[in-house]
Amino acid sequence: MPTSSQLPTFMHRPFCVPGHLRTIAALIAVVMLGAADLAVAQTTYFVRVTGNDAAAGTTAQTAFATIAHAASAIASGDTVVVGAGRYSDALRLTTNGLAERPITFVADADGSQTGDPGAVEVAPASGNSVRFEGDHTHLIGFTLIGNASDTVRLNQAVGIRMERCTVIGGSRDGIFLPRGTNHLTLVSCTLHSGSGDLLQANQGSSVDILGGTFRDSGGDAIKLDGGIVSLSGTIMHDLAGDGVDSPLNKASAVTADRVHIYNADHGFNMARGSLIAHGSLMHDLAGSGINMGNLGPSAELRNCTIARTQSHGIYLGKGTGLITNTIIADTGGHAIEEHKQNR
């Protein structure tokens, strides 16, 4: 083995990084740290009826006066806390949040953050109360009051979540999802009143409904024209139309788990598409519990109960039906009426 005196000269020298490389490495580290800070940075804004849109909006004492102004200030990951009162400006949300950093609007009903307890109402004289045009926005605890337009409208917006909100319909629909890519999640929301449907979802749109109540509508609780809806633990009652109605135009898909429908026309009225219902209850209906039309819809019912219908318990047109462990009683027509079905 060679001695140290026999080693090449460069191996006696300590390894040094040239100065210009050290400078570049330091700059890269600073940039990376700055990017990390930006990735987690977020702002909480406040809105109060006593506020001022010229203020900073970042504390309850410097709150904005309008939700529209707050909507113009937000970025991905921001939160807006809104104090009690009725706001006559519409909430139009055009900024995109991210799935991991949504934009959140919170109604401060208990006054713990703004000092203003009470209901937080959005009630413009015209137009949508809320219009979602950006992705990944959450709305929590608001009362949204309709007029001559749809109360809430999605316009090519995904990742929209409404939690513990009340939607009051006007002369049109409570919530409207037009054709296109829209996705909405409703959690423990109440939709009621109005002369239109409480919720309408068209082709390309999907809705997940967890809990909540749909009631007192001049139309259907839910109307689908090619939309997809998943229901869990939802109650629908006192409707001029159906619980869920899918008319002739486009095939829709409905999944219903523990859904309760009463005082309506049909429970589920499907001209085409598919229905999967588990553990659901339909009773006191002017029509049938399940009405499957003649355009090839399919129905799967398990552990359901249908009672006190003025028409059939279940009507199966030209389509397929799988019915297991289901109770049908006290119907004005047949318990199950089959016509031109493909079994």
Side-chain angles (χ1 to χ4, degrees):
M1 176 177 293
T3 65
S4 60
S5 61
Q6 295 173 317
L7 292 173
T9 303
F10 74 89
M11 296 186 68
H12 290 282
R13 301 173 183 169
F15 178 74
C16 295
V17 178
H20 70 285
L21 292 181
R22 290 198 302 271
T23 301
I24 292 172
L27 288 172
I28 291 173
V30 169
V31 169
M32 291 179 68
L33 287 171
D37 289 340
L38 288 174
V40 298
Q42 63 181 31
T43 302
T44 297
Y45 293 102
F46 295 83
V47 179
R48 302 173 70 183
V49 292
T50 57
N52 184 345
D53 282 346
T58 52
T59 69
Q61 291 70 38
T62 62
F64 297 140
T66 64
I67 53 176
H69 188 73
S72 70
I74 53 176
S76 176
D78 287 349
T79 297
V80 178
V81 179
V82 184
R86 175 170 286 204
Y87 296 85
S88 60
D89 52 318
L91 182 55
R92 184 178 180 184
L93 298 161
T94 59
T95 302
N96 286 323
L98 300 173
E100 65 277 14
R101 299 181 65 222
I103 294 165
T104 304
F105 279 72
V106 180
D108 184 32
D110 64 2
S112 60
Q113 299 186 68
T114 61
D116 301 329
V120 182
E121 300 176 341
V122 181
S126 62
N128 310 119
S129 295
V130 180
R131 187 180 181 96
F132 294 99
E133 297 182 354
D135 297 339
H136 300 294
T137 300
H138 296 178
L139 206 64
I140 303 173
F142 287 83
T143 297
L144 311 173
I145 301 173
N147 44 63
S149 300
D150 305 314
T151 307
V152 177
R153 184 183 179 97
L154 276 67
N155 187 22
Q156 310 301 312
V158 300
I160 305 304
R161 180 183 177 94
M162 296 172 61
E163 184 175 342
R164 303 193 312 277
C165 289
T166 297
V167 179
I168 302 174
S171 59
R172 299 188 67 178
D173 298 326
I175 300 177
F176 183 76
L177 289 77
R179 293 187 181 185
T181 303
N182 298 287
H183 179 255
L184 170 67
T185 299
L186 298 177
V187 181
S188 302
C189 291
T190 298
L191 282 69
H192 70 86
S193 304
S195 55
D197 303 314
L198 293 176
L199 185 150
Q200 183 175 155
N202 290 279
Q203 187 175 19
S205 296
S206 62
V207 186
D208 295 320
I209 302 173
L210 307 175
T213 301
F214 291 63
R215 61 175 176 83
D216 301 302
S217 169
D220 302 315
I222 298 174
K223 178 165 284 182
L224 301 174
D225 189 3
I228 299 171
V229 66
S230 172
L231 297 148
S232 179
T234 305
I235 300 172
M236 304 176 183
H237 65 89
D238 294 296
L239 309 168
D242 305 317
V244 178
D245 180 24
S246 177
L248 302 178
N249 297 331
K250 302 292 182 182
S252 302
V254 179
T255 302
D257 178 47
R258 295 172 291 108
V259 173
H260 184 187
I261 304 173
Y262 63 96
N263 291 346
D265 191 4
H266 302 297
F268 295 91
N269 184 30
M270 306 286 294
R272 63 171 71 196
S274 64
L275 167 66
I276 299 174
H278 296 169
S280 294
L281 171 62
M282 294 143 274
H283 63 92
D284 295 291
L285 302 172
S288 299
I290 308 287
N291 188 63
M292 307 299 288
N294 294 318
L295 295 174
S298 65
E300 177 186 317
L301 278 69
R302 297 180 186 274
N303 304 316
C304 293
T305 299
I306 300 171
R308 297 195 297 272
T309 64
Q310 294 184 27
S311 187
H312 308 299
I314 299 172
Y315 174 82
L316 296 174
K318 188 177 180 181
T320 60
L322 174 63
I323 303 168
T324 57
N325 297 328
T326 291
I327 298 171
I328 304 173
D330 195 11
T331 64
H334 297 107
I336 300 176
E337 172 73 11
E338 299 176 314
H339 181 64
K340 296 181 180 178
Q341 78 286 358
N342 298 317
R343 300 186 182 181

